[in-house]
Amino acid sequence: MRLPNILLTGTPGLYDGFDEEYECPILDEDRVVDELENKMKEGGVIVDYHGCDFFPERWFHIVFVLQTDNSVLYTRLEKRGYSVKKLQDNVQCEIFQILYEEAMTSYKPEIVHRLPSNVPEELESNLDQIIKWIEEWIKENN
């Protein structure tokens, strides 16, 4: 049975150094793509990453962009101990919908969907929506 590949992305192993300004690892995007290539061909893969423009378009059947209200995001990231600059940049990224726009230009717009990510109840609703989409996809493609 064929299974779909799904990309989950939104404002927040293989890395290529450490970014002192943002206090986080720098991802080696080429290595990630090389490592995932064969697995993606098999199908049934869910990729969860805060960016999406370096993944090949052919990999995904659907893209979900998680979006969070700015006040919720600020508090969430503050509790994680993000530096002021990293916190401000992440909130600004959400304000300007950078990741949504990135997804819309990197993939066919009809496969890009927004999901709210503010409260725990939305997590359950989002999971239900993703499961329903997977079930439909399986029916239509097998």
Side-chain angles (χ1 to χ4, degrees), residues 21-36:
E21 183 178 17
Y22 289 102
E23 302 173 351
C24 66
I26 300 168
L27 188 72
D28 182 342
E29 295 172 351
D30 291 334
R31 185 168 176 199
V32 169
V33 170
D34 290 345
E35 293 287 331
L36 287 175

Side-chain angles (χ1 to χ4, degrees), residues 52-70:
C52 65
D53 62 344
F54 69 93
F55 295 117
E57 180 181 4
R58 69 182 182 282
W59 277 10
F60 299 105
H61 300 97
I62 195 159
V63 176
F64 293 105
V65 180
L66 299 175
Q67 295 188 307
T68 306
D69 178 82
N70 296 325

Side-chain angles (χ1 to χ4, degrees), residues 82-130:
Y82 278 33
S83 68
V84 172
K85 173 153 181 50
K86 188 173 179 180
L87 202 155
Q88 290 172 341
D89 286 354
N90 274 272
V91 169
Q92 195 171 43
C93 184
E94 191 68 17
I95 289 170
F96 293 111
Q97 299 187 17
I98 302 295
L99 294 172
Y100 176 71
E101 292 300 321
E102 186 179 285
M104 290 294 285
T105 59
S106 298
Y107 305 96
K108 295 176 194 159
E110 61 268 18
I111 73 164
V112 177
H113 303 274
R114 300 182 215 209
L115 295 175
S117 181
N118 296 300
V119 294
E121 294 78 23
E122 289 174 336
L123 173 64
E124 288 183 37
S125 172
N126 291 342
L127 286 173
D128 289 343
Q129 214 174 330
I130 292 169

Side-chain angles (χ1 to χ4, degrees), residues 40-56:
M40 298 306 288
K41 289 176 186 173
E42 296 171 18
V45 177
I46 297 175
V47 174
D48 178 6
Y49 187 63
H50 68 267
C52 65
D53 62 344
F54 69 93
F55 295 117

